[in-house]
Each structure stands twice: as structure tokens, then as C-alpha cells.
Amino acid sequence: MSEINVNIKDAVLEINNVSVAYNKGNYAVTNVSAAIKRNKVTAIMGPSGCGKSTLLRAINRMHDLYPNIITEGQVLLNGKDTNKMSTIMLRRKIGMVFQRPNPFPTMSIADNVIAGYNLNGISLNKTEKEEIIEKSLQDVALWNEVKDSLNQKGTFLSGGQQQRLCIARALAFQPEVILLDEPTSALDPISTKKVEELLMELKEKYTILLVTHNMSQAARISDNSMFMYLGELVEYGKTKEMFINPKDKRTDEYLTGKFS
Amino acid sequence: MKMISILKKTDAQVERKWDARFIKDKIFTGFIIIFSLITISPIVLIISKLISKGYKQLNWSFFTETTPNTYQAMLAVNLGEIIPGGVLNGITGTILMVLIASIMAIPIGIMVGIFLYENQTKKYAVIVKDITDILQGVPSIVLGLISYFWVVKYITNGFSALAGSFALFIMMLPLIIRSTEETFKMIPVSIKEAGFALGAPYHKIILKVMIPSGLSGLITGILLAISRVVGETAPLMLTALGSMVVNLNIEKPTSALPLLIWEFYNDPNMVDLIWATSLLLMMLVLGLNLISKYIISKRNL
Ligand SMILES: Nc1ncnc2c1ncn2[C@@H]1O[C@H](COP(=O)(O)OP(=O)(O)OP(=O)(O)O)[C@@H](O)[C@H]1O
Ligand SMILES: [Mg+2]
């Protein structure tokens, strides 16, 4: 397995020998190790069912929700073992955006943005709230579109706006890393373009880990890429190099469309 | 050449089939109309009967006075007047008992429903679910008997509103449990996961995400459970017994609208009150059903 050359100081996340099984002995992700570079967009590619989502969800311990799932190995966030962190601290530092936009249907746009605070019982005064809401919505270029309807339900927005709202909800909690699982696969091309532009801007402040089905999307916006196949991390390197000169035969076959 | 003749033959057959289908459709539609008329006619007949027979008794005092005694009723009937008094003791009794039953059944039912939703494959939850289904099938008179043996004999030492509430509570419980579980199952998992991805603790996700998202479903389930028990007579005969006066003491015998209907039925002088009381009860049940239908239609938009 090829490893990207990351100075440990640059690594915000270190994934060490992570394996995940949905049921005993049946691994969906096997022995993945990788260091994720700070302030970069890292794409995770691979054919359907190769374990991209499973790996991503191991990083913020979403698998804890389902007692049957077995996770092995270790993920370090800034050198600290995430298994030893509280889930609130961990998920505050590592935000997540899902494949389908999932704003909380009963909450207003404003409440959706600060849901991370409300749901964890963190109290904010009015000016703090307003500041977080405005800043987060501005970060996702949604502020101008919704500033007059902050008290309306988030579900009234278009799919692309909803997804940007979900990104704002993750940003509002001031994470270091944002995990995105095919965030544009349910969006139209124009909304997709907006989200992509947004991600490229966000990498200045955040580290972005992006699962994508779409090779050209990975080529457009990622700095580094992982290629996974049958639960294994086959290749990990600079996106440009991987696309021009893949080291593994399977990567080559995937990138040239021999399988998908 | 051959192909063309096959084509013509097919066309002819399609044409004929089309005509036949048209007639079959008509016959089928006719059957549907007849069967649906058969289905809706009881409710129309019941309501028109109740209104035509009961409207005379529906005056102000029907809602503000308690039941007359049989002598007063006999006098009025002999003079050809409407029977004095009303069913206030039944209205207050029904409200009291349904309220107490709801106060017990709603929190317990919702919590058990959430438990079942969260643990769909666990053995213990499957057993609880099966027992819930069995409970739903227990005849209401049996629940009355159980309440008699537990509450009437040992807790209130006599017939009481509490005993009646207890029987209604057990009736409501499986309905609320199952409707809560079904409601939660309809909420997309991704909404729940969004909450967990923000680090929120379990109880906050239930209280601030799941329950608000399923609120209309929960309310509908509760309203249907209430409308299901509000007309129950049998379990109340063995527990609440009935009362001629307004009683708000949960340890004392209490009346209820369905109990009154039964009492009026047994007293030849009061027969006229049956219709108005039934009409009132019917309106109550119908109202609850219409409200929950309205909530469901709103939710699906
Ligand atoms: N909840 C689950 N229970 C059991 N097996 C699962 C579950 N979720 C995923 N799997 C299995 O784990 C493997 C990896 O799934 P995963 O969702 O991580 O793939 P993916 O790369 O994200 O695919 P896609 O591109 O289609 O989203 C698949 O074989 C899948 O069938
Ligand atoms: Mg996936």
C-alpha cells in the first residue's frame, strides 16, 4: 500500500490500522492506515460498496450508534486517541455532512445552524447566537439568500440550499475537520458547483475529507486522494499524480473506467 | 406479407378486447359503488337516527344538569314534556377517567414505544412487542375484571373512578405504544444521525429531534387511543359503577357517558335520553377521529 508522505506535524488525523465489520468476521473496511493533511481536501474514491462511507463513519465514531458494528484500530486527532475522547468533544472537532441534506425538519433555519449548541445544552446569549448564525451562513454563501427568512423551517429551502445549511450547521460548531459523504450526489449540477466552490474556500480554515463517487469531482477539488477497493486502501497520494500516473493496477483500471 | 396479416389480426383483437374491457370496467365500477354504499350506510343511518330522535333533548340543561331520577322522568314523560336534567355527571366522569388514563398511558406508552423502536432486534424487545399485541386483543370486559380485582378490591376498597381509569389505561397502552413505534420508524434515520454527528446526547435527541419530528404522529395516536376508549362501557360497569351526581373524587364511584346510556336503557322512563346521550358520545368520537385525520393530512403535505 502506498502512503502519502505526511510530516506528522501536518497531519490532523492519523488513521491507524482501522478495520470495521458490520457483523462478526465480515469486514467492510480492512486495516486502513493513512495520515490526513491539515487544510487540504482529501478525496476518498472507489467503486460502490468498497467501504468509503464505512471508513468515514469510523473517524467520528458514528458506528458507536450501532452496537453490532465492530471497529478496530485507532484514529488520532492531533495526536490524541479519539477512542478516549468524549463523543461531544470528538464530534465538535470533526463535523459531518451526509449524502442527503438532512436539516432538522422541525427547526427554523437559524435553529438548525446553532443546533450543535442547543442539542448539547451549551447556552449562548442573543448576540453570540446572531453572530454564529450570520457567520456560518456567510461561510456557506447562504446568508444573502436566507437572511430574511431565518425563522422559517429549513425544509422549505431547495436541495442545494439545504445541503449548504447542513454544512453551515457543521461549521457553526467550529470543527477542525469536516467529513462529507457524497455531499453533492443528491444535487443538481448548479448546486453541485456551488458546494464544490465552497469546499475549496473552506479548506483554508478546515481540513476536508470528502467521499465521492465522481472522479472528475475528485480531480477538480481535491489535493490528495485515496482509492479504496473491497475494503482496502489501495492507493493514497497527491490527486494529480494519482490521476496521471497511478501506481496500482486496480487504481488505473478504476480511473480509466474499467469498473465502477 | 405474413407479417402484415398478423398485424391486422392483432389490431382486430386489441379492438375487440378494448370494447370488452370497457364493459368490464363499468361492471367493476358499479360493484365498487354498491359496496362502498353498503359500507357507509350504517354510519349515515346511525347519525340520522340519533339526530332525529335525540335533538329534542339537546338543550342547555342537558349539558349543565345531572341525571334526573326515575320519578321526575316518569312525570315528564306522562305530561308529554321533555325529560328534565342532563348528563353532566356523565360528561365530567368521562373527562375525569379519560384524563387520568391518558396521564398514565401517554408517558409510559411513548417511552415503551421508543424502547421498541430503538431495540427492534433485541430479544427482550421482541417479547415486549408480542405482549403488547396480545394486550391489544384482550377483551375489554376482562380488563375491567382485572381492574376490579386489583384496584377496586385492594386500592380504593370500592368502586371508583381510579379503577375505571386503570382499565382504560391498559386499553390505551398498546395503542399508544404501537403508534409511537410506527411514527418513529417513519422518521428518516439520517435526521437522528445528524443529531448524533453533532455530539448530542441520547436524551436530547429523543426530546429535541425525534419527538418534535414525530409530534403529529404521536398526537394522532393519542387521539385515536382516546376515541377508542371513550365509548367503553363494559370495563366501567365493573369498576366505576356509575353515580347520579357529579363526582371528581377518584376514589368514589363515578358516572360516564356510555354508562349512562346503559342505565337509561334499563329504565323505561328514561329511554328518550338514550338518543341524545348516544349522539353526544358519537360526536365526541367522530370529532376526535376528524381531528386526527386532519393532522395526518397536514403531515403528508
Ligand atoms: N448497515 C450495514 N449493515 C451491513 N452491511 C453494511 C451496512 N452498511 C454497509 N454495509 C456493507 O459494507 C460494505 C461497504 O459499504 P459502504 O457503505 O461503506 O460502501 P461505500 O463505498 O460507501 O459505497 P457507496 O459508494 O455505494 O456509498 C458494503 O459491502 C455494504 O454492503
Ligand atoms: Mg457510501
Side-chain angles (χ1 to χ4, degrees), chain A residues 57 62 65-66 88 91 96 98 102-107 115-116 118-121 169 173, chain B residues 121-122 189-201 204-205 208-209 212-214:
Chain A
R57 292 161 65 91
M62 283 303 275
L65 277 182
Y66 304 96
I88 161 158
R91 291 180 189 148
M96 185 167 220
F98 296 78
N102 55 356
F104 296 118
T106 54
M107 294 184 198
N118 286 343
L119 290 178
N120 283 299
R169 178 175 67 188
F173 224 13
Chain B
T121 51
K122 286 225 184 89
V189 191
S190 66
I191 301 287
K192 193 170 117 191
E193 290 192 338
F196 279 108
L198 290 168
K204 289 265 176 153
I205 292 186
K208 292 197 161 180
V209 177
S213 303

Side-chain angles (χ1 to χ4, degrees), chain B residues 140-193:
Chain B
S140 60
I141 185 98
V142 175
L143 297 179
L145 268 175
I146 289 180
S147 180
Y148 175 82
F149 280 115
W150 287 353
V151 185
V152 174
K153 286 200 119 174
Y154 294 107
I155 295 178
T156 53
N157 294 315
F159 296 109
S160 64
L162 187 66
S165 303
F166 185 76
L168 300 185
F169 153 67
I170 301 181
M171 282 195 75
M172 288 176 77
L173 207 48
L175 301 170
I176 294 181
I177 291 173
R178 291 317 289 268
S179 73
T180 303
E181 193 199 351
E182 294 306 320
T183 302
F184 273 38
K185 273 189 192 162
M186 275 166 52
I187 301 173
V189 191
S190 66
I191 301 287
K192 193 170 117 191
E193 290 192 338

Side-chain angles (χ1 to χ4, degrees), chain A residues 73-220:
Chain A
Q74 196 185 35
V75 177
L76 304 181
L77 173 66
N78 295 321
K80 269 204 251 158
D81 187 348
T82 52
N83 280 317
K84 298 197 177 110
M85 295 168 74
S86 69
T87 44
I88 161 158
M89 202 39 156
L90 172 67
R91 291 180 189 148
R92 186 190 161 170
K93 300 261 178 186
I94 304 181
M96 185 167 220
V97 177
F98 296 78
Q99 182 165 2
R100 295 195 159 273
N102 55 356
F104 296 118
T106 54
M107 294 184 198
S108 66
I109 293 173
D111 283 342
N112 259 290
V113 176
I114 51 170
Y117 295 88
N118 286 343
L119 290 178
N120 283 299
I122 300 165
S123 54
L124 300 168
N125 64 35
K126 199 161 170 275
T127 41
E128 287 170 333
K129 270 185 198 168
E130 282 167 358
E131 208 176 294
I132 293 173
I133 291 167
E134 178 169 353
K135 189 170 172 309
S136 311
L137 289 173
Q138 242 151 18
D139 278 352
V140 297
L142 198 57
W143 176 251
N144 287 332
E145 290 159 59
V146 303
K147 65 171 182 254
D148 298 318
S149 47
L150 288 175
N151 291 320
Q152 280 184 23
K153 295 258 149 42
T155 37
F156 284 128
L157 299 173
S158 75
Q161 288 175 321
Q162 285 188 28
Q163 193 61 302
R164 280 184 283 148
L165 176 61
C166 292
I167 298 174
R169 178 175 67 188
L171 297 184
F173 224 13
Q174 297 167 307
E176 289 186 38
V177 181
I178 306 168
L179 311 173
L180 302 105
D181 192 349
E182 304 192 41
T184 58
S185 67
L187 305 184
D188 61 274
I190 293 170
S191 307
T192 298
K193 188 156 171 280
K194 277 198 175 159
V195 171
E196 286 183 3
E197 284 166 0
L198 171 66
L199 293 180
M200 297 213 281
E201 280 169 31
L202 289 177
K203 76 175 181 185
E204 286 181 15
K205 285 188 256 170
Y206 309 91
T207 304
I208 290 169
L209 201 52
L210 167 80
V211 167
T212 176
H213 233 113
N214 183 330
M215 279 179 261
S216 59
Q217 181 172 60
R220 277 196 300 274

Side-chain angles (χ1 to χ4, degrees), chain B residues 201-215:
Chain B
Y202 183 72
H203 70 276
K204 289 265 176 153
I205 292 186
I206 295 291
L207 289 176
K208 292 197 161 180
V209 177
M210 299 300 281
I211 290 183
S213 303
L215 196 61

